[in-house]
Amino acid sequence: MSELPGEILLSLCQNASNDVFLAAPFIKKDTLQKILAVIPVEIERLTVVTRWVPSEIALGVSDLEVFDLLDKSNAQLLLHPCLHAKYYRVDNRCLIGSANITSKALGWCSIPNIELLIEANPENRIIRQLEVQLI
């Protein structure tokens, strides 16, 4: 059996030394909390980008409590209404794929989604442009 996307993301985040950048349109508070718990407190910067569309919030695909969670972490929360990419960068390594920051996407529930996260080169021009576009 292959490694769950969530385990791949946790492994990446626990090795952070400077900068963590997480971008996903859908973020659930408990799932983000699990990720934040493994990020070393010594990092200099934590940026989270998501989209909060009122109709999606009403459907429960994301939690507004993410704001309070990140506020306590001294993290920067950015909103982008057109975000669909799932992009996770820790220092000079990154993952791209289909998995949101939800337990179903990351494989942390009894019937998970079929998702993927693969390592990509953060110096790739298209990946650099994505991050610039999000901030």
Side-chain angles (χ1 to χ4, degrees), residues 13-21 36 38-47 73-75 90-91:
C13 288
Q14 70 187 11
N15 292 308
S17 60
N18 185 45
D19 186 24
V20 176
F21 190 99
L36 294 177
V38 303
I39 297 173
V41 295
E42 301 84 23
I43 66 164
E44 293 179 25
R45 183 174 46 233
L46 170 60
T47 304
S73 303
N74 291 324
V90 173
D91 301 323

Side-chain angles (χ1 to χ4, degrees), residues 20-127:
V20 176
F21 190 99
L22 308 171
F26 304 149
I27 301 178
K28 299 297 280 180
K29 177 186 171 239
D30 291 344
T31 308
L32 180 61
Q33 206 161 22
K34 186 172 181 172
I35 294 166
L36 294 177
V38 303
I39 297 173
V41 295
E42 301 84 23
I43 66 164
E44 293 179 25
R45 183 174 46 233
L46 170 60
T47 304
V48 177
V49 184
T50 192
R51 77 172 187 226
W52 280 343
V53 175
S55 60
E56 293 171 346
I57 297 292
L59 290 172
V61 297
S62 288
D63 295 333
L64 293 176
E65 294 85 3
V66 164
F67 175 80
D68 295 326
L69 183 63
L70 291 172
D71 190 44
K72 292 174 188 169
S73 303
N74 291 324
Q76 181 179 29
L77 175 64
L78 303 173
L79 301 178
H80 197 293
C82 299
L83 177 64
H84 187 72
K86 290 74 172 183
Y87 168 73
Y88 309 108
R89 184 184 52 74
V90 173
D91 301 323
N92 62 351
R93 294 181 61 202
C94 79
L95 300 170
I96 58 173
S98 62
N100 284 293
I101 301 177
T102 67
S103 60
K104 282 188 73 78
L106 294 177
W108 297 332
C109 66
S110 59
I111 304 174
N113 293 344
I114 298 172
E115 306 274 4
L116 63 93
L117 286 176
I118 59 170
E119 191 151 359
N121 180 355
E123 295 302 316
N124 177 290
R125 179 182 55 83
I126 294 170
I127 292 174

